[in-house]
């Protein structure tokens, strides 16, 4: 084991163990994404890994949504980031369009852009859709949403990896992430309209 310490921002369990295994690390802290706005503690870490997101704010105003999924996480990270720390951003596959109808996609890209301005050496790891052994997508979703996701994966022939391949993906791509050019900026379309989580997913899949 190394003496490194990792700070995970977000509690996505499918990523935490693979990163710990990759870095051979046993010392770490996990900060729940929803508690960032009230958590003012200063954390010491060698590596900060951002893998969180609040999926329960789609029905809120766009201003509230962006504040909690972009600006508050950004301020927390800025307060805890030192010059020598490695910053890793866990992302979905980047969009192939310059606009989006999805709040999720816009928030993820906007936070990445702010973090890139904070630290241009940020490592972006863009994962394909992660599936389990039943080939169902591992999403923050109810069973109905997962079934729809499975159908769209088949229709669109989406790139996927199995959940037990996450560690291998990190090993194969983390060096590439250091050299990857981050492309900005994606334009928002009708994101002021409140919606459900399901509708935002459908808009992301169908319209971009």
């Amino acid at each position: 084991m190394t003496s490194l310490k990792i700070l995970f921002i977000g509690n996505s369990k499918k990523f935490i163990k693979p990163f710990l295994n990759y870095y051979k690390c046993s010392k770490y802290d996990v900060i729940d994404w929803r508690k960032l706005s009230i958590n003012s503690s200063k954390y010491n870490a060698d590596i900060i890994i951002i893998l969180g997101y609040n999926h329960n704010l789609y029905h809120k105003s766009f201003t509230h949504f962006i504040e909690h999924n972009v600006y508050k996480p950004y301020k927390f990270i800025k307060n805890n980031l030192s010059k020598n720390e490695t910053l890793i951003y866990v992302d979905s596959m980047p969009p192939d369009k310059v606009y989006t109808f999805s709040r999720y996609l816009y928030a993820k890209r906007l936070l990445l852009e702010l973090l890139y301005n904070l630290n241009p050496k940020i490592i972006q790891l863009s994962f394909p859709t992660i599936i389990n052994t039943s080939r169902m997508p591992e999403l923050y979703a109810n069973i109905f949403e997962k079934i729809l996701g499975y159908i769209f994966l088949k229709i669109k022939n989406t790139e996927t990896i199995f959940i037990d391949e996450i560690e291998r993906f990190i090993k194969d791509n983390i060096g590439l992430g250091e050299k990857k050019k981050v492309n900005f900026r994606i334009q928002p379309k009708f994101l002021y309209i409140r919606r459900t989580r399901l509708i935002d997913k459908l808009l992301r899949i169908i319209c971009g």
Side-chain angles (χ1 to χ4, degrees), residues 13 17 43-44 49-51 63 77 88 92 161-162:
K13 293 180 174 58
K17 186 176 180 180
Y43 289 85
N44 293 317
I49 301 177
I50 301 101
L51 43 79
T63 301
I77 294 164
I88 299 173
S92 54
I161 61 169
F162 286 104

Side-chain angles (χ1 to χ4, degrees), residues 2 9-10 27-28 30 39 42-44 52 85 95 112 121 137 143 146 159 162 175 190 196 206-207:
T2 68
I9 300 179
K27 296 188 293 184
Y28 65 98
V30 179
N39 196 323
K42 183 78 175 179
Y43 289 85
N44 293 317
E85 286 174 333
L112 174 59
K121 293 183 179 180
I143 187 62
K146 288 183 178 181
E159 183 181 356
F162 286 104
F190 302 108
T196 64
I206 298 170
C207 303

Side-chain angles (χ1 to χ4, degrees), residues 65-124:
F65 174 85
I66 289 296
E67 177 68 19
H68 286 268
N69 267 320
V70 178
Y71 294 122
K72 285 186 177 179
Y74 169 76
K75 291 173 186 175
F76 179 87
I77 294 164
K78 184 178 180 180
N79 186 50
N80 282 276
L81 183 67
S82 68
K83 291 183 180 180
N84 296 324
E85 286 174 333
T86 299
L87 191 60
I88 299 173
Y89 190 77
V90 173
D91 201 3
S92 54
M93 297 299 287
D96 55 4
K97 297 179 180 179
V98 296
Y99 61 86
T100 184
F101 292 87
S102 166
R103 283 187 174 192
Y104 170 86
L105 188 54
Y106 181 73
K108 292 287 287 184
R109 299 301 295 180
L110 181 58
L111 179 56
L112 174 59
E113 180 172 349
L114 292 174
L115 293 175
Y116 181 82
N117 291 336
L118 183 64
N119 180 4
K121 293 183 179 180
I122 185 172
I123 299 171
Q124 178 193 7

Side-chain angles (χ1 to χ4, degrees), residues 24-39:
K24 297 179 173 58
C25 176
S26 60
K27 296 188 293 184
Y28 65 98
D29 288 312
V30 179
I31 307 299
D32 190 285
W33 192 265
R34 293 168 181 80
K35 295 180 180 178
L36 287 177
S37 60
I38 60 173
N39 196 323

Side-chain angles (χ1 to χ4, degrees), residues 104-198:
Y104 170 86
L105 188 54
Y106 181 73
K108 292 287 287 184
R109 299 301 295 180
L110 181 58
L111 179 56
L112 174 59
E113 180 172 349
L114 292 174
L115 293 175
Y116 181 82
N117 291 336
L118 183 64
N119 180 4
K121 293 183 179 180
I122 185 172
I123 299 171
Q124 178 193 7
L125 282 177
S126 299
F127 284 82
T129 300
I130 298 168
I131 57 176
N132 59 28
T133 54
S134 300
R135 297 189 175 273
M136 293 290 286
E138 284 288 315
L139 305 171
Y140 185 93
N142 58 40
I143 187 62
F144 177 68
E145 291 170 328
K146 288 183 178 181
I147 292 172
L148 281 179
Y150 174 81
I151 293 171
F152 277 106
L153 287 179
K154 293 297 184 182
I155 293 174
K156 300 194 73 172
N157 197 26
T158 305
E159 183 181 356
T160 61
I161 61 169
F162 286 104
I163 193 167
D164 60 2
E165 295 176 326
I166 291 177
E167 187 177 340
R168 168 59 62 179
F169 184 91
I170 294 170
K171 183 177 180 180
D172 291 345
N173 290 275
I174 200 162
L176 299 175
E178 293 174 348
K179 303 170 185 176
K180 186 183 297 182
K181 181 180 179 181
V182 179
N183 294 315
F184 303 117
R185 161 187 308 239
I186 191 168
Q187 298 299 318
K189 297 288 186 180
F190 302 108
L191 299 190
Y192 61 87
I193 299 175
R194 304 179 192 220
R195 73 281 306 269
T196 64
R197 185 176 64 211
L198 174 60

